[in-house]
Amino acid sequence: MKGFVFHGSGHASWEEIPDPAVKDPTDVIVRVDTVTICGTDLHILKGDVPEVRPGTVLGHEAVGEIMETGADVRTVRPGDRVLVSCITACGRCAYCRTAMYGQCRGGGGWILGHLIDGTQAEYVRVPHADLSVHPLPGTLDGKDAVLLADIFPTAYEVGVLNGRVRPGDTVAVVGAGPIGLAAIATARLFAPERIVAVDLAAARLEAARRLGADAVADAREDPEQLIADLTDGLGADVVVEAVGIPETFEMCTRMVRPGGHVANVGVHGRPATLHLEDLWIKNVTITTGLVDTHSTPTLLRMAAAGRLPTAELVTHTFPLDLMEEAYDVFGRAADTGALKVALGGERHDTVAVRGA
């Protein structure tokens, strides 16, 4: 088969690699139909994630068909169409027993495209399949469903639920990339009074408006003052950090009101200053987190019912074998306007012929 193989900082290619095989009785082999690229994949390519060894197939999100199952797999069988979650869960360790699958100590957590070969290939081995793949309803298109492998559960769990968004809140989302946009869409489920999106890119701020932001602010034009003006000087009830740089994290801590929540979702590669000299007296809660994907079944039902705007986030589509071109387009999002890219598509092994 072919897959997108990491060869060290700045180097990866779509190339021939060995087919995966079942190693453990809880494994499945999935024929990949649709994948996407995550911002974390770009961090890996830059060399920011040293745990990823050269020779690893990248990717941790996919939709595909079960081709083979290990002897202990009970929830899926060959022929099932499934979503491959970004998080793998053993289901037995102390963390999994409390649905903290991202912290799994039984050989799970974020392993696909990180510690083992990932999904950006024609086939992928998925360990601990009973809790790590999800059967898909036939009504859900692959390029929509694949967004439920990572960005929607991440935005919902680490941003909206950790931030404790409630009816009537003012919610500020700093960063209107895919995660920030998914946070806007899922925050709306809790009927906040207003959602304010902050970003540098006009195209992303326009996308934020389409997905439900009530106001938008250019990050260069004092968004803190806008939040203060909208809240009589108090600040936002919930601020979601969806960028991952020190400047935006520190901005978020200045935007939040006393008693409010800062939910950090962004992946940080540099230290940020925590200004406890200002925050100690404000009763502020700051949360961090890796997604657990415990919400994935709920989000799948909502997407199948048309309650999540997944299709609006996919701006570019490619065949699977144009992986390198897709990475280039996604990596230059400021120039290309890319939000999410989808590669591949539904496969049809039989063709129905309608009579006259």
Side-chain angles (χ1 to χ4, degrees), residues 61-119:
E61 307 151 274
V63 168
E65 180 183 339
I66 300 288
M67 303 304 291
E68 185 180 356
T69 63
D72 290 349
V73 175
R74 297 289 180 265
T75 60
V76 292
R77 59 186 180 182
D80 285 351
R81 180 171 172 263
V82 296
L83 172 71
V84 178
S85 175
C86 67
I87 297 296
T88 303
C90 79
R92 298 184 302 273
C93 71
Y95 284 109
C96 284
R97 287 176 181 273
T98 58
M100 294 179 64
Y101 305 130
Q103 304 301 324
C104 174
R105 291 298 183 267
W110 173 37
I111 58 172
L112 290 171
H114 180 207
L115 305 180
I116 67 172
D117 285 340
T119 59

Side-chain angles (χ1 to χ4, degrees), residues 2-127:
K2 288 192 173 182
F4 192 65
V5 181
F6 175 67
H7 290 295
S9 181
H11 301 284
S13 62
W14 180 254
E15 60 189 66
E16 291 280 351
I17 54 175
D19 291 350
V22 168
K23 294 182 179 179
D24 298 310
T26 57
D27 290 350
V28 295
I29 303 300
V30 177
R31 183 185 69 178
V32 173
D33 293 336
T34 308
V35 297
T36 186
I37 302 171
C38 180
T40 306
D41 296 323
L42 299 182
H43 281 289
I44 293 170
L45 270 181
K46 292 176 183 176
D48 294 341
V49 187
E51 299 87 358
V52 182
R53 294 175 296 181
T56 301
V57 177
L58 297 185
H60 50 267
E61 307 151 274
V63 168
E65 180 183 339
I66 300 288
M67 303 304 291
E68 185 180 356
T69 63
D72 290 349
V73 175
R74 297 289 180 265
T75 60
V76 292
R77 59 186 180 182
D80 285 351
R81 180 171 172 263
V82 296
L83 172 71
V84 178
S85 175
C86 67
I87 297 296
T88 303
C90 79
R92 298 184 302 273
C93 71
Y95 284 109
C96 284
R97 287 176 181 273
T98 58
M100 294 179 64
Y101 305 130
Q103 304 301 324
C104 174
R105 291 298 183 267
W110 173 37
I111 58 172
L112 290 171
H114 180 207
L115 305 180
I116 67 172
D117 285 340
T119 59
Q120 290 170 3
E122 294 176 317
Y123 295 87
V124 60
R125 179 180 72 93
V126 183

Side-chain angles (χ1 to χ4, degrees), residues 155-180:
Y156 182 57
E157 295 174 18
V158 186
V160 176
L161 296 184
N162 280 3
R164 298 188 182 180
V165 176
R166 296 176 298 180
D169 278 354
T170 293
V171 178
V173 178
V174 178
I179 291 287

Side-chain angles (χ1 to χ4, degrees), residues 171-189:
V171 178
V173 178
V174 178
I179 291 287
L181 294 173
I184 290 168
T186 51
R188 283 178 54 83
L189 301 172

Side-chain angles (χ1 to χ4, degrees), residues 37 42 46 325-336 338 341:
I37 302 171
L42 299 182
K46 292 176 183 176
E325 181 178 334
Y327 262 87
D328 177 64
V329 169
F330 186 63
R332 295 186 299 107
D335 300 321
T336 63
V341 300

